[in-house]
Amino acid sequence: MNAALDETTQEIVLRGAINFGIAVDTPDGLIVPVIQRADSKGVLQLAKEARRARRAHAHAKVSIDDLQGSTFTITNAGNMGGIFATPVINYPEVAILGVHRIRREPGSWCETARK
């Protein structure tokens, strides 16, 4: 999944660094700040950098460098109450992880599995 599409050569190129893009909904639209070298950081450091990226945007201090170089994007529609959505892959990436709301519903597979 840590790859890119090279349209010129029609090849999938494996990337070395893992740079997560975290989709953030803002009043001005969706932005995707990038956490560089995510594979070398622990969960607490990743959370700290994600918060930093959100705060930087809130204070209009996001540079173009903060938004470039992602190799994989994570997005979330659950905050809008969505349980189904189709995230759009951030070109030239080859995949995106869409996290959605989890909830129990009557007749859902959870209830059926208990019977």
Side-chain angles (χ1 to χ4, degrees):
M1 296 297 198
N2 194 46
L5 175 62
D6 183 337
E7 284 192 19
T8 306
T9 61
Q10 294 295 302
E11 294 179 336
I12 294 183
V13 179
L14 298 179
R15 302 267 184 117
I18 298 174
N19 303 326
F20 280 158
I22 307 289
V24 178
D25 188 22
T26 72
D28 298 325
L30 188 69
I31 65 165
V32 184
V34 178
I35 298 174
Q36 302 290 330
R37 299 296 217 176
D39 55 320
S40 67
K41 298 175 179 158
V43 174
L44 295 176
Q45 181 66 28
L46 291 171
K48 181 179 175 182
E49 290 201 26
R51 281 193 306 273
R52 178 194 56 78
R54 293 182 85 178
R55 280 193 217 111
H57 175 72
H59 295 88
K61 294 181 181 176
V62 176
S63 73
I64 194 72
D65 290 337
D66 294 329
L67 305 173
Q68 291 183 336
S70 66
T71 61
F72 188 83
T73 298
I74 302 169
T75 189
N76 174 14
N79 61 334
M80 299 180 297
I83 57 172
F84 298 107
T86 304
V88 177
I89 297 172
N90 188 15
Y91 175 83
E93 296 171 15
V94 297
I96 187 169
L97 172 64
V99 181
H100 305 288
R101 183 175 179 191
I102 298 173
R103 64 180 181 189
R104 285 189 175 182
E105 292 185 5
S108 70
W109 68 269
C110 293
E111 297 298 322
T112 306
R114 289 187 192 177
K115 294 180 182 179

